[in-house]
Amino acid sequence: MNEKDGSQSRREFLGREPIGQLMLKFAIPSIIAMLVSAVYNIVDQIFIGRAIGTLGNAATNIAFPLSMSCTAIGLLFGIGGAANFNINMGKREYDKAPFFIGNAVSMMCILGCLLTLVSEVFLAPMLRLFGSPSDVLPYAMEYVRVTAIGFPFLILTIGGGHLMRADGSPNMTMFCSLSGAIINIFLDALFVFGFHLGMFGAALATVIGQVFSGIIVIFYVRGFKTVKLLPEHFIPTPALALQTASLGVASCANQLAMMLVQIILNNSLKHYGALSAYGEAIPIACAGIVMKVNQIFFSIVIGIAQGSQPIESFNYGAKQYNRVMDTYMLAIKAAAVVSLAAFAMFQLFPRTILQLFGNGTDEYFTFGVRFFRIFLFCTWANCIQPATSQFFASVGKPLKGMFISLTRQIIYLLPIMLILPIFIGIDGILFAGPVADMLAAVTAALMVRSEFKDMHKLEKN
């Protein structure tokens, strides 16, 4: 058996094995990888909240858009590289496939270093743009000065996980992410509570964990299993980079949309909070906790969707359309169970969750509980949009995937969040969440229904 036949034989299982078994193999490591990304942010928030309090919690929320930028870049080239690689392997275009892996790695490194440079040079005005009150700014600057060093490694960890999964090594993706997270948690406790280093200690712990995980990705890529990666594969080529990014743009756009909404949300909470009994810092601190806790649930849903990507991409390239549709439906069902569990938790135990992040005033807990219960009231419907966006990207239709990604955050949430507070104050921000969630879910369901009709026709032909 020659090398190309061997590579194909290692990929054929995606078209043969039961979909349930394949989903378990790919989705569980993907879920853990996405959870770890969320844990990096929420662990710091827990330690900082207990050591510093409301201002520290608000500072991590102000810095959060930069972490979301790293996730966006990692998904852009990680998912894009993995999807293009799998589609080309399904088509038996073995010579072309490795270039998508190499270009993905190179672009993640280049953009990660660029983001670090921009963050360090323009830090203060950037954080003010993100909505930082004056009393929160020093804490946010101290935190980001350090965490910005780890941006290239964080991007490599997030994006590299998808490339390793495309190479048939989902467990390595899981190990890579878990090892960095465990290091981060251990060092957070040591630096913040042991050495009393505050914001600096939490940031340093985060960077060390990210560097460790990033180095694992680098060593793995050097020994890629399915195809042999040569130096020429890593030379950035505009055409290949654009094609790689085209299939990751849906997930990237979703993250960028979340980042934009986070920035506008912070500024809106600062403005309307100052006009309310809560003040500027309390709404920002509470929103940061609510968003990051919600990100844990959302990471599971996205992980399920991403776990379906290799199966959907390969079978679409192999023209096994029934398997593509069955994979999507299984992903939706699994995500629905998670969504319902999250809805119950957010409605029943909001105060308990807030208490994990330290103590606060009565106003702090009052606003936090209302934010959880109102803003996340339609969490149960959030299983549809991520899986549908990933579905369209996996079958080579990035524009539809990008549109679905933008529905909740940009097309629906953003205008509602800007309009409602004009009439009902800070409560308008809270009620914007469930309205946007429902509209996005309905839009995604209608679009995937139309796509399924087209696939049924292709299956008959």
Side-chain angles (χ1 to χ4, degrees):
M1 179 182 292
N2 61 39
E3 182 178 346
K4 292 182 180 179
D5 289 338
S7 297
Q8 179 62 14
S9 66
R10 288 191 289 269
R11 307 300 300 161
E12 286 290 353
F13 73 96
L14 290 170
R16 291 195 313 262
E17 290 190 8
I19 292 171
Q21 293 181 17
L22 290 172
M23 281 292 291
L24 285 174
K25 178 176 182 179
F26 287 98
I28 291 177
S30 181
I31 289 168
I32 292 174
M34 288 301 299
L35 279 174
V36 168
S37 178
V39 164
Y40 270 118
N41 296 295
I42 205 167
V43 165
D44 280 356
Q45 183 118 22
I46 290 174
F47 282 102
I48 289 170
R50 290 187 168 274
I52 298 173
T54 300
L55 293 179
N57 274 328
T60 57
N61 191 30
I62 293 298
F64 194 41
L66 288 170
S67 296
M68 298 172 81
S69 299
C70 293
T71 303
I73 296 171
L75 295 179
L76 179 66
F77 289 100
I79 289 180
N84 275 291
F85 176 77
N86 281 317
I87 288 173
N88 279 275
M89 292 298 288
K91 293 179 178 178
R92 301 177 182 246
E93 295 182 0
Y94 309 115
D95 294 332
K96 187 178 179 181
F99 283 96
F100 292 106
I101 301 296
N103 269 248
V105 172
S106 297
M107 292 305 299
M108 285 189 286
C109 292
I110 293 170
L111 293 179
C113 292
L114 183 61
L115 181 60
T116 296
L117 179 62
V118 171
S119 299
E120 296 286 2
V121 173
F122 301 105
L123 182 56
M126 189 180 296
L127 293 176
R128 290 192 187 97
L129 177 67
F130 292 168
S132 178
S134 57
D135 55 348
V136 174
L137 185 61
Y139 295 97
M141 289 186 66
E142 182 181 11
Y143 184 74
V144 177
R145 284 283 183 212
V146 180
T147 55
I149 299 171
F151 287 167
F153 299 95
L154 176 58
I155 291 169
L156 268 179
T157 301
I158 294 169
H162 296 282
L163 303 182
M164 290 188 286
R165 191 161 50 250
D167 192 38
S169 299
N171 290 332
M172 180 56 70
T173 300
M174 181 170 58
F175 169 76
C176 176
S177 301
L178 275 177
S179 58
I182 292 170
I183 290 172
N184 182 28
I185 294 170
F186 173 78
L187 293 181
D188 257 327
L190 179 65
F191 292 163
V192 176
F193 292 143
F195 297 158
H196 305 289
L197 295 178
M199 299 293 293
F200 174 80
L204 183 61
T206 297
V207 169
I208 293 173
Q210 290 168 351
V211 169
F212 185 86
S213 295
I215 289 174
I216 291 177
V217 173
I218 293 171
F219 274 97
Y220 182 90
V221 169
R222 293 179 62 186
F224 212 71
K225 296 187 305 182
T226 307
V227 295
K228 184 175 178 58
L229 296 177
L230 304 174
E232 64 196 59
H233 297 139
F234 294 90
I235 299 174
T237 306
L240 281 172
L242 285 173
Q243 188 175 346
T244 301
S246 70
L247 296 190
V249 72
S251 296
C252 173
N254 192 45
Q255 284 294 318
L256 291 177
M258 290 171 63
M259 182 184 73
L260 177 61
V261 169
Q262 184 73 46
I263 294 170
I264 295 175
L265 175 64
N266 287 342
N267 281 280
S268 297
L269 290 170
K270 176 184 175 183
H271 174 74
Y272 290 103
L275 301 176
S276 71
Y278 305 113
E280 292 182 343
I282 285 177
I284 293 175
C286 290
I289 293 170
V290 171
M291 292 299 194
K292 289 177 183 178
V293 171
N294 184 51
Q295 190 190 29
I296 290 182
F297 139 72
F298 215 61
S299 295
I300 300 174
V301 173
I302 292 175
I304 292 171
Q306 291 176 355
S308 67
Q309 180 268 314
I311 312 167
E312 290 171 346
S313 293
F314 183 91
N315 284 285
Y316 190 81
K319 299 183 179 180
Q320 298 188 84
Y321 301 113
N322 275 332
R323 286 179 64 85
V324 177
M325 292 182 283
D326 289 345
T327 302
Y328 169 84
M329 291 306 301
L330 183 58
I332 286 289
K333 292 174 183 177
V337 173
V338 177
S339 301
L340 289 169
F343 169 76
M345 182 179 68
F346 296 155
Q347 295 300 311
L348 296 175
F349 309 110
R351 188 180 180 92
T352 303
I353 298 170
L354 286 167
Q355 288 173 335
L356 295 174
F357 297 85
N359 295 320
T361 63
D362 289 339
E363 291 81 8
Y364 170 82
F365 283 108
T366 297
F367 184 82
V369 168
R370 293 187 75 244
F371 204 113
F372 261 116
R373 286 180 172 160
I374 298 174
F375 193 82
L376 300 181
F377 185 76
C378 287
T379 294
W380 54 270
N382 278 342
C383 58
I384 301 175
Q385 186 222 14
T388 305
S389 175
Q390 182 63 65
F391 166 77
F392 281 116
S394 298
V395 300
K397 298 186 178 182
L399 292 180
K400 289 184 177 180
M402 183 172 63
F403 174 77
I404 293 294
S405 294
L406 295 176
T407 51
R408 179 182 181 271
Q409 301 291 333
I410 299 297
I411 297 175
Y412 298 134
L413 180 59
L414 192 55
I416 297 171
M417 190 171 64
L418 291 173
I419 294 171
L420 277 185
I422 297 174
F423 301 100
I424 56 176
I426 199 167
D427 283 350
I429 298 173
L430 276 59
F431 283 101
V435 175
D437 287 342
M438 281 305 303
L439 290 173
V442 171
T443 302
L446 291 175
M447 287 187 64
V448 82
R449 181 184 178 186
S450 175
E451 191 68 25
F452 272 24
K453 288 182 179 179
D454 292 340
M455 283 193 179
H456 281 302
K457 293 178 182 177
L458 291 172
E459 189 74 28
K460 292 177 181 179
N461 295 334

